[in-house]
Amino acid sequence: HDTFQYDLQLLERLREKADKCLVIAGGIEASTNSEFFLINNIVDLLFSGPSEYSFREFIELLVSNRNLEEFLAIKGIQFYE
């Protein structure tokens, strides 16, 4: 519970300081609380479940300026529309 509260505080401070940055979360807290993180605009997108390969795929697509459909095909990626 303390870890979750710390994560929330850290992400809120990040949003305040870097409002134009893309905020991405992953790990157990993001996976188990994905809806909360997304609906409350705490993160822009998150990776649920094991994401070592999908996060790498995301970065490769981001760097190469790919289209949105390719991002949506990444396994485990979630975002709030």
Side-chain angles (χ1 to χ4, degrees), residues 4 9 14 48 54-55 71 78:
F4 182 68
Q9 291 172 356
L14 179 62
S48 58
S54 56
F55 185 71
F71 286 101
Q78 298 181 34

Side-chain angles (χ1 to χ4, degrees), residues 4-55:
F4 182 68
Q5 292 302 319
Y6 175 78
D7 292 346
L8 287 177
Q9 291 172 356
L10 184 62
L11 288 166
E12 287 171 0
R13 282 187 280 171
L14 179 62
R15 273 277 188 230
E16 291 171 6
K17 301 286 184 190
D19 64 336
K20 294 191 186 329
C21 289
L22 180 66
V23 179
I24 303 170
I28 190 68
E29 295 291 352
S31 294
T32 57
N33 299 290
S34 60
E35 189 173 325
F36 177 81
F37 277 100
L38 294 169
I39 288 174
N40 291 293
N41 196 34
I42 295 168
V43 299
D44 296 304
L45 61 94
L46 60 82
F47 289 86
S48 58
S51 57
E52 293 85 0
Y53 299 109
S54 56
F55 185 71

